[in-house]
Amino acid sequence: MPDALDATPYDALLLLSFGGPEGPDDVVPFLENVTHGRGIPKERLKEVGKHYFRFGGVSPINGQNRALLEALREDFAGHGLDLPVYWGNRNWAPYLTDTLREMVADGRRRILVLATSAYASYSGCRQYRENLADALAALEAEGLELPEVDKLRHYFNHTGFVEPMIDGVLRSLADLPEGVRDGAHIAFSTHSIPTAAADTSGPMAAHGEGGAYVEEHLDVAQLIADAVRERTGVDHPWRLVYQSRSGAPHIPWLEPDICDHLEERHAAGVPAVVMAPIGFVSDHMEVLYDLDTEATEKAAELGLPVRRSATVGADPRFAAAVRELILERAATERGQDITPCALGTLGASHNVCPVGCCPSRASRPAAAGADSPYA
């Protein structure tokens, strides 16, 4: 056993995720949680939930979070990091507020949060911080002693996140028929968001066309494409594309859509495509339906060979990256001078979200940032 690693001043890690239904009876209540306050009729939610019903009403995300929890605990134990790991969700059990209440009861007073979203955006960062503020407000109303909560920085360009995706693309290319392999195009895919949200993603200095959200994805895509070229000797063309649009048709969202892109690439004579979902930590419903089902069916209709590369999931390298991020943040909090791990051209993300970072349309309190009411 190696010497114990020091996570001081932190005494717990909270894995914070989106949540998902685990049976047919959960689907509509889950979607009611996701769309709370929007006044969407139940019949409409049943229609929206058809993706879940197609898979027995079960989202894979909770099972994948359980696997990640196990990977984190195994990695921490194997490297002498004595830090308990908890799990809470925004929209389904185990709920965030319940988990924070449990952590307070267990005596946890300084908590680090790992969100299952690697990039800067309102929905991928600030909304989680708003949920944390809501949960802390609920505990405060109950008269509980509030813990101090910090959030780990964005890890999109950490080697432990990027390397598993490189391997996934290489495996997918190798799985293509030899005659189309070298000419294959790589479609790096992520969740589409409104262009207005993209333009204001990241710190205020990064606001502009596409904001930090697009810039970070492009940097990761370039890292992977460069690594694939270095390891295969083939320079595969690529593009960043989008999926899972859910907004009103009149509101501009990031494009091109993955299915439209497959049609365009097929018309251009591309012999095959590898779909690489770099915007997702694990193979949850957006990957299972929008890529493995809808996009794959579109490719079959076109007669276009496609492969879908794996997400990071519970890869041991990602668990190790989380450990390194914890130790990096803990050392920083203790006043030590450290060099954070970051690949690509953008450098390491900020530890504390600044004021104006990924703003929401309606102002709401957000924890774990420079504007936190719980600092």
Side-chain angles (χ1 to χ4, degrees):
M1 175 69 67
D3 294 336
L5 301 177
D6 188 6
T8 307
Y10 298 105
D11 56 17
L13 177 71
L14 168 61
L15 175 64
L16 177 56
S17 194
F18 192 82
E22 301 199 78
D25 293 340
D26 296 344
V27 173
V28 172
F30 162 74
L31 292 174
E32 288 175 332
N33 288 342
V34 174
T35 62
H36 179 71
R38 301 182 201 172
I40 300 177
K42 185 168 289 189
E43 290 306 311
R44 173 59 181 153
L45 292 179
K46 290 180 181 178
E47 175 65 20
V48 172
K50 65 182 180 181
H51 300 173
Y52 294 97
F53 290 123
R54 182 168 181 163
F55 296 96
V58 178
S59 167
I61 192 170
N62 278 356
Q64 289 159 5
N65 280 324
R66 292 185 184 100
L68 179 56
L69 280 171
E70 183 62 29
L72 291 171
R73 289 166 177 160
E74 182 177 340
D75 178 272
F76 293 2
H79 290 85
L81 177 59
D82 184 16
L83 192 72
V85 186
Y86 295 75
W87 169 36
N89 289 324
R90 283 167 48 177
N91 299 298
W92 201 248
Y95 289 104
L96 170 60
T97 301
D98 295 335
T99 301
L100 276 179
R101 188 181 296 111
E102 177 189 359
M103 297 176 82
V104 169
D106 289 347
R108 310 306 175 193
R109 293 294 176 261
R110 190 77 189 272
I111 298 168
L112 260 178
V113 176
L114 167 68
T116 54
S117 178
Y119 300 86
S121 71
Y122 170 73
S123 58
C125 183
R126 185 175 177 89
Q127 192 170 14
Y128 281 104
R129 293 176 50 225
E130 291 175 351
N131 297 143
L132 282 166
D134 291 343
L136 290 169
L139 299 189
E140 187 175 41
E142 296 170 13
L144 298 177
E145 181 181 354
L146 298 186
E148 187 173 347
V149 179
D150 293 328
K151 180 178 174 292
L152 285 172
R153 66 177 174 88
H154 301 301
Y155 45 84
F156 64 91
N157 56 1
H158 194 289
T159 182
F161 187 69
V162 175
E163 282 292 336
M165 293 191 292
I166 293 170
D167 288 349
V169 171
L170 290 170
R171 285 193 297 269
S172 292
L173 286 167
D175 192 49
L176 283 168
E178 187 174 356
V180 300
R181 186 180 305 149
D182 286 353
H185 170 90
I186 305 173
F188 293 108
S189 185
T190 190
H191 207 301
S192 184
I193 62 175
T195 57
D199 293 346
T200 57
S201 58
M204 292 182 68
H207 292 180
E209 187 175 357
Y213 186 74
V214 172
E215 183 181 43
E216 290 169 0
H217 280 87
L218 288 173
D219 206 45
V220 171
Q222 188 66 65
L223 279 168
I224 296 172
D226 288 347
V228 168
R229 183 185 66 252
E230 291 166 4
R231 300 180 197 186
T232 65
V234 179
D235 191 7
H236 291 273
W238 62 270
R239 185 168 183 183
L240 179 63
V241 302
Y242 303 93
Q243 61 177 89
S244 313
R245 175 183 172 138
S246 59
H250 68 280
I251 298 175
W253 282 53
L254 293 173
E255 296 178 337
D257 175 78
I258 177 64
C259 290
D260 294 339
H261 183 65
L262 292 176
E263 290 185 335
E264 188 273 332
R265 288 291 80 201
H266 177 257
V270 167
V273 173
V274 168
M275 302 181 293
I278 62 172
F280 305 90
V281 173
S282 64
D283 290 3
H284 52 65
M285 187 57 72
E286 280 86 349
V287 176
L288 193 66
Y289 182 82
D290 296 318
L291 293 184
D292 291 355
T293 304
E294 194 172 51
T296 299
E297 288 175 356
K298 171 58 71 174
E301 173 189 315
L302 297 169
L304 178 67
V306 295
R307 297 293 186 271
R308 197 269 291 174
S309 66
T311 53
V312 173
D315 190 290
R317 289 169 291 184
F318 181 47
V322 174
R323 167 172 40 86
E324 291 169 9
L325 288 165
I326 291 167
L327 296 174
E328 169 196 300
R329 180 63 183 275
T332 301
E333 291 296 311
R334 295 195 303 266
Q336 295 175 231
D337 186 20
I338 53 94
T339 301
C341 175
L343 303 175
T345 63
L346 299 180
S349 183
H350 47 265
N351 278 330
V352 179
C353 291
V355 175
C357 193
C358 303
S360 57
R361 286 179 295 176
S363 180
R364 291 180 56 197
D371 55 354
S372 172
Y374 299 103

